[in-house]
Amino acid sequence: EKMKKSVFESVYGWVLLICSQFMVMGDTGKAIVLLIVVFHFDLITGTYASWVEAKKENKKHKVYFIESAKLRKSVVKGLCYIFLILGAHGLSHIYFDTPLNIPLSSKDFTATQLVIGVCIAIEIWSNVENFKRVGFDLVAEIKQISKKIWGLFHSIKNDRHDG
């Protein structure tokens, strides 16, 4: 029996996740705001996950949940996002000024918006990983809820055809 892949384990899942970001945002400004929000939410959930893990390990020595090494990594990640976005913006003005059309979307997007969408997808996935570290498997919960909704849909559909 073939195992089904998770949405996040396939290229199509990631494309769908990135494309779904653009349904929420209408322009680059809103996309940047969304990136800032999910970036800070990732920082908060990561700190909380570290606290939960330290509490589970029952460490005897004092643990600092906001460590300089982890903050440094977050700053580096944020700077990488900034340079990626600025680079995409610069390249799009130099080489191609026309918007790009993405499958599953009726909107046209700039290269800058696409790069921001990838950054948002990375941050969303990082948040999902942080939730799992805390003990809440968001992907498994979504799968379980989807199965229940799908089962309900099929039972309603079968009731209509039977009645």
Side-chain angles (χ1 to χ4, degrees):
E1 177 184 343
K2 236 182 178 180
M3 285 185 64
K4 290 185 179 180
K5 284 188 172 183
S6 161
V7 171
F8 302 104
E9 293 174 348
S10 70
V11 174
Y12 300 112
W14 277 99
V15 169
L16 183 63
L17 179 65
I18 292 167
C19 291
S20 67
Q21 311 307 316
F22 300 113
M23 294 177 190
V24 177
M25 52 190 189
D27 59 29
T28 305
K30 290 179 184 176
I32 289 173
V33 169
L34 182 60
L35 176 58
I36 290 169
V37 168
V38 295
F39 181 84
H40 284 90
F41 190 68
D42 179 48
L43 188 64
I44 293 166
T45 58
T47 303
Y48 180 67
S50 294
W51 179 75
V52 168
E53 286 173 342
K55 197 172 178 182
K56 283 181 184 176
E57 292 174 8
N58 205 8
K59 292 186 176 180
K60 302 287 184 209
H61 64 281
K62 187 174 182 177
V63 176
Y64 298 102
F65 302 107
I66 300 181
E67 298 172 3
S68 63
K70 290 181 181 180
L71 279 177
R72 193 176 312 115
K73 286 180 182 179
S74 292
V75 169
V76 168
K77 183 170 62 169
L79 288 173
C80 286
Y81 288 160
I82 290 169
F83 290 131
L84 277 171
I85 293 166
L86 290 175
H89 184 72
L91 288 174
S92 68
H93 281 294
I94 293 170
Y95 293 108
F96 49 94
D97 230 2
T98 58
L100 307 167
N101 194 328
I102 298 178
L104 304 174
S105 175
S106 60
K107 294 181 181 181
D108 290 332
F109 302 102
T110 64
T112 307
Q113 289 172 328
L114 293 175
V115 168
I116 295 170
V118 169
C119 294
I120 290 170
I122 291 168
E123 286 303 305
I124 288 173
W125 185 247
S126 181
N127 278 296
V128 169
E129 289 173 338
N130 289 338
F131 281 121
K132 191 167 187 170
R133 286 174 50 204
V134 170
F136 181 70
D137 191 355
L138 190 62
V139 174
E141 290 294 321
I142 291 172
K143 283 181 180 179
Q144 188 176 11
I145 291 170
S146 298
K147 286 180 183 177
K148 288 179 182 178
I149 291 172
W150 194 249
L152 180 64
F153 173 74
H154 276 290
S155 69
I156 290 171
K157 185 178 176 183
N158 290 338
D159 286 348
R160 282 188 183 171
H161 289 294
D162 291 342

